Amino acid sequence: MFDQLQQQLIKLGPQLLRVPAQAMPFPLQRVCLENALNRALATSIEDEELAFLADKWLKVTVTDLDVSWCMTLKGQKILVAAPQQAADVSFMGALNDLILIAGRKEDADTLFFQRRLQIEGDTELGLEVKNLLDGFDMALLPKPALHGIAKLAEFIAQGSATRFTVSP
């Protein structure tokens, strides 16, 4: 019974979040994303690990929410722009898959080869972004964010695993 409820929550979660995600005004999205990204990646920015993103645009699309953002590094800050900005590389995936990547429950390469994560555009830039994600020290995130991502990713991973289990 719990397995079925868990699977339904995993399936319906993105559908329930779609309207609020699209209704949030872009200026508010921009401020929230810029603050969160600049705080989380402050050490990487300071150590020039994001130099590859200077004057390049990364577009991230959460496909099932139908929301996108473009990002670049300008000086010592990550800037977020509307998705109309021409992107050098684009990452596209479903919300649950992106949460699994963030929570270290799935590898971006695995999802890419399963066609659950799409990367288009500048291959070298895409590889650098992927390597940054793979090497990112999650402990740099605020504890509540780290805990929330970990719990949500675990919930999704467990629910996805039970979906593929064969009952006797």
Side-chain angles (χ1 to χ4, degrees), residues 23-35 69 80-83:
M24 181 184 281
F26 181 76
L28 181 57
Q29 291 179 34
R30 186 186 74 241
V31 168
C32 292
L33 281 170
E34 284 180 354
N35 286 337
W69 308 277
V80 176

Side-chain angles (χ1 to χ4, degrees), residues 60-117:
V60 176
T61 300
V62 184
T63 55
D64 48 355
L65 296 185
D66 196 26
V67 293
S68 299
W69 308 277
C70 289
M71 304 159 207
T72 189
L73 182 69
K74 192 80 160 174
Q76 293 292 304
K77 296 275 185 201
I78 293 176
L79 300 179
V80 176
Q84 292 82 12
Q85 173 67 44
D88 296 288
V89 67
S90 297
F91 279 67
M92 296 160 283
L95 178 64
N96 288 335
D97 289 333
L98 296 174
I99 291 169
L100 289 171
I101 292 170
R104 304 287 200 246
K105 296 295 180 186
E106 280 284 357
D107 177 67
D109 289 329
T110 301
L111 295 181
F112 176 77
F113 288 114
Q114 293 175 351
R115 297 179 188 239
R116 291 167 49 194
L117 176 67

Side-chain angles (χ1 to χ4, degrees), residues 9 12 17-18 43 65 81 105 109 114 119 133 141 159 161:
L9 285 171
L12 294 175
L17 293 173
R18 184 181 178 121
T43 303
L65 296 185
K105 296 295 180 186
D109 289 329
Q114 293 175 351
I119 303 170
L133 292 172
L141 293 176

